[in-house]
Amino acid sequence: MAAESKFRYMRNPLAMFGGWLTTVSALLFLGIFFADLFGLHTNPYLGIVAFLVLPGAFVFGLVLMPIGVYLAHRGERLAKPSLILAWPVIDLNQSHTRHIAAVMVFLTVANVLVISLASFRGVEYMDSPQFCGQVCHTVMKPEYTAYVNGPHARVPCVACHIGPGAPWFVRSKLSGTRQLFAVAFNTYPRPIPWPVENLRPARDTCEQCHWPEKFTGDIVKQVPQYGDDEANTPSITTLRLHIGSGNDATGAQGIHWHMAPSTRVTYITTDPQRQKIVFVEVQDKNGVRKFRMPGVTDEELAKGERRLMDCMDCHNRPSHKFDQTPEAAVDGAIQRGLISQTLPFVRREAVAALKTVYPSQAAAAVGISQHLTGFFAKQLGPQAEARKGDIAQAIATTQALYARNVFPEMKVTWGTYPTNIGHVDSSGCFRCHDDTKVTADGRVIKQDCDLCHAIE
Ligand code: HEC
Ligand code: HEC
Ligand code: HEC
Ligand code: HEC
Ligand code: HEC
């Protein structure tokens, strides 16, 4: 009775349940952990169970055990108030007690190990693009789809959205918890609004991999456009973009001048999307210049959002770039040979199929296929059979363009997320470079066609 009585409180049902919960979740966790180590699972939902739910259950079980013991202890005292319940005497001279102490030390080390493994993998897992992009799949589908097709597909979401250091990590987990509730209770906005207001300044994130001093010279970009005629006649604009920052030997300046170490551009915007810019202040080697939109009152300026320009003010779609129009999407696909330019009127018809409004991506796939199959059957008649391969490829590509850009369930469609690079499909550079904002001495932010690029 003596030895047993020291541990009789562990028989409390709550404590026993705690012990059971801890043991089972630890075993399951370790099982999945090692399977994961050897690459045996890829399901993102299993990750939630393995790295968030199981460790939670494990710790919960650990907490239940002392509570159960305490309750049992209190129950006994209430039942027999006369009984003086002394603390058990731990006498390491007794071999039985020594064994129990050894087991306790072992269990504690095992617990610490499981908890550290779990927190390490839990954090790593929550930082993975899988977790960010696939677990909330409807919500993040547009951004994830654009991401895997973009130039940063190998850069984890957290490199841009959180960056290094503990403070932003904590901030992101707090806002992540809020977002989890929004998803659970279906209160999240559709589409997900932009800009991301509290995005970490780009100097901390982008500059881990790119830095403005590196930019020199020109890059050449070809912007294709095809006609709506039978031959889908091409016209290609070749832009030679001056992307320097004034840091090369020639001192030639260019587009990344805004980001040169000696330049600071601040602006005031009056709409939440930062598309209407009414005031710009520059500080650079040549001093300070303030450009102001005529007719804007001091009150409007005071009410606007003031922001230090960084990479994101131009590269707002570095990783989630959507085609701005069906025309641009189809032109790009023809240029890359994904739609055969030799199919008559294919540009016009693919654009028309993409412009139709469908209730879902599945409906769009069917609609696009019917539209193009029907059109080519009529247009080509008996020759359609010979072009079967090209037609099938045109259909598959057009369906993919739709699935890449339009997400009816998230209310995302062509142009929902405009890009600030350029000025043709959205205001972009011309938000500032519009020849209207002036300094006191009459200087404007120029729109000269050769300021940013040469057109060949
Ligand atoms: C190369 C950097 C980069 C990477 C990598 C990246 N993002 Fe973004 N993301 C951004 C920037 C910049 C914005 C802000 C756009 C704006 O403010 O207009 C953004 C915006 C978003 C938005 C808000 C909606 C929108 O489209 O503006 C969501 C949601 C998002 N990202 C999710 C993700 C997910 C999920 C991943 C990983 C699968 C990811 N991002 C990876 C840079 C990145
Ligand atoms: C972890 C490293 C990393 C980070 C962080 C990063 N990038 Fe990149 N970025 C790359 C790599 C690598 C490429 C080249 C991809 C290629 O050539 O296909 C690239 C390419 C680019 C390009 C050229 C895109 C194109 O279409 O060819 C731009 C613009 C760019 N990044 C902007 C940004 C901006 C803006 C940020 C911050 C929001 C950022 N990057 C953050 C690694 C990074
Ligand atoms: C004033 C607008 C603007 C700002 C601010 C800006 N960029 Fe750019 N950047 C451009 C334009 C325009 C291009 C040309 C490519 C294009 O049109 O897509 C470019 C090109 C690039 C490229 C591709 C270069 C290449 O050789 O292919 C990278 C990488 C890049 N920028 C990163 C950055 C980073 C990082 C920052 C912040 C430090 C930044 N940019 C700030 C406008 C800007
Ligand atoms: C927030 C306002 C703003 C935006 C947006 C903006 N710029 Fe500028 N940019 C300026 C200002 C201000 C100047 C300097 C005007 C002056 O002092 O003459 C400038 C100067 C320039 C210069 C000349 C730099 C030099 O060599 O002196 C280039 C090139 C340029 N911008 C390209 C771009 C491109 C390309 C974009 C769009 C991708 C863009 N800018 C977007 C404000 C802006
Ligand atoms: C402030 C810088 C700036 C100025 C000024 C400017 N552009 Fe551009 N332009 C750009 C950038 C950046 C792009 C986009 C490059 C890309 O697609 O990445 C672009 C793209 C274009 C394109 C390709 C269009 C397309 O379909 O994508 C044309 C055409 C063009 N510009 C013509 C002009 C003309 C004409 C002027 C003079 C009125 C002009 N630009 C002035 C920065 C500028």
Side-chain angles (χ1 to χ4, degrees):
M1 175 79 192
E4 175 195 293
S5 66
K6 273 185 208 159
F7 300 95
R8 66 184 179 280
Y9 300 132
M10 272 311 284
R11 300 244 181 82
N12 167 279
L14 199 62
M16 275 166 60
F17 175 69
W20 175 85
L21 193 64
T22 296
T23 313
V24 170
S25 48
L27 291 177
L28 280 176
F29 168 78
L30 288 173
I32 300 180
F33 180 85
F34 284 110
D36 183 58
L37 215 59
F38 295 107
L40 288 182
H41 94 81
T42 46
N43 182 337
Y45 294 97
L46 191 61
I48 293 199
V49 174
F51 305 125
L52 302 176
V53 176
L54 285 180
F58 178 81
V59 173
F60 185 59
L62 281 186
V63 172
L64 284 185
M65 283 193 273
I67 295 180
V69 169
Y70 167 78
L71 289 179
H73 183 255
R74 204 182 64 153
E76 205 163 278
R77 255 188 25 196
L78 288 180
K80 295 186 223 160
S82 59
L83 198 74
I84 298 168
L85 288 172
W87 284 95
V89 177
I90 298 175
D91 179 0
L92 290 179
N93 290 318
Q94 292 186 356
S95 74
H96 180 74
T97 310
R98 273 202 310 277
H99 288 153
I100 293 199
V103 169
M104 287 305 206
V105 169
F106 171 77
L107 284 181
T108 308
V109 171
N111 284 345
V112 170
L113 204 72
V114 168
I115 292 177
S116 348
L117 278 183
S119 1
F120 172 71
R121 263 310 267 134
V123 167
E124 201 181 57
Y125 168 66
M126 283 192 286
D127 278 1
S128 70
Q130 257 197 351
F131 177 75
C132 305
Q134 283 179 303
V135 167
C136 307
H137 59 234
T138 312
V139 189
M140 291 290 156
K141 193 171 164 196
E143 279 72 29
Y144 189 70
T145 308
Y147 162 85
V148 293
N149 287 294
H152 292 104
R154 300 260 159 80
V155 177
C157 319
V158 293
C160 298
H161 284 279
I162 303 179
W168 284 89
F169 177 78
V170 173
R171 276 171 80 156
S172 84
K173 290 302 166 242
L174 290 178
S175 94
T177 312
R178 209 178 55 237
Q179 288 159 11
L180 211 59
F181 279 103
V183 172
F185 297 108
N186 201 9
T187 56
Y188 57 87
R190 301 170 180 80
I192 301 204
W194 58 277
V196 179
E197 259 171 62
N198 297 316
L199 201 64
R200 185 166 185 178
R203 306 228 87 133
D204 300 350
T205 52
C206 316
E207 291 187 24
Q208 300 275 318
C209 303
H210 310 283
W211 44 97
E213 294 89 323
K214 211 174 56 179
F215 298 118
T216 52
D218 291 352
I219 58 167
V220 173
K221 236 182 146 156
Q222 291 193 318
V223 185
Q225 217 178 352
Y226 295 85
D228 279 343
D229 55 343
E230 183 166 358
N232 313 296
T233 306
S235 61
I236 312 273
T237 308
T238 302
L239 297 170
R240 183 176 288 282
L241 287 144
H242 313 311
I243 58 159
S245 60
N247 253 63
D248 49 1
T250 65
Q253 297 212 328
I255 295 171
H256 290 98
W257 158 86
H258 307 77
M259 293 290 107
S262 55
T263 312
R264 276 174 74 86
V265 178
T266 341
Y267 68 86
I268 296 179
T269 166
T270 53
D271 74 319
Q273 263 78 53
R274 301 182 184 144
Q275 295 296 296
K276 251 184 243 116
I277 291 177
V278 292
F279 176 86
V280 184
E281 182 174 328
V282 180
Q283 214 181 322
D284 70 356
K285 289 179 203 149
N286 304 323
V288 175
R289 303 183 289 289
K290 297 180 182 183
F291 301 86
R292 182 169 172 155
M293 180 97 100
V296 169
T297 64
D298 288 345
E299 205 190 358
E300 280 172 285
L301 284 190
K303 270 203 309 223
E305 178 196 357
R306 197 184 176 94
R307 194 178 142 80
L308 176 66
M309 191 172 183
D310 71 19
C311 320
M312 258 73 109
D313 289 293
C314 297
H315 295 284
N316 63 333
R317 304 269 126 219
S319 158
H320 319 293
K321 190 172 190 311
F322 301 99
D323 289 308
Q324 299 293 303
T325 59
E327 287 84 351
V330 172
D331 289 342
I334 300 178
Q335 187 193 32
R336 275 172 282 142
L338 298 172
I339 293 178
S340 167
Q341 200 200 320
T342 59
L343 281 172
F345 295 111
V346 71
R347 199 268 190 177
R348 186 187 75 191
E349 293 307 315
V351 167
L354 287 175
K355 280 192 169 163
T356 309
V357 175
Y358 307 96
S360 67
Q361 291 195 342
V366 176
I368 288 166
S369 170
Q370 283 172 348
H371 181 108
L372 292 179
T373 312
F375 173 80
F376 287 115
K378 221 164 72 200
Q379 176 71 26
L380 296 172
Q383 283 160 342
E385 187 55 27
R387 305 296 310 269
K388 226 170 59 185
D390 285 341
I391 296 172
Q393 194 199 17
I395 291 172
T397 301
T398 309
Q399 289 168 329
L401 292 178
Y402 187 93
R404 168 81 181 70
N405 289 291
V406 186
F407 304 84
E409 66 277 24
M410 284 305 292
K411 299 200 165 73
V412 171
T413 184
W414 309 100
T416 301
Y417 291 112
T419 167
N420 287 336
I421 294 266
H423 50 80
V424 176
D425 294 321
S426 49
S427 319
C429 311
F430 287 6
R431 291 172 303 155
C432 290
H433 289 264
D434 61 356
D435 272 339
T436 65
K437 300 177 231 323
V438 285
T439 59
D441 57 0
R443 186 176 168 140
V444 296
I445 308 177
K446 288 190 291 241
Q447 205 177 53
D448 304 359
C449 300
D450 56 0
L451 178 72
C452 309
H453 50 59
I455 300 184
E456 291 167 357

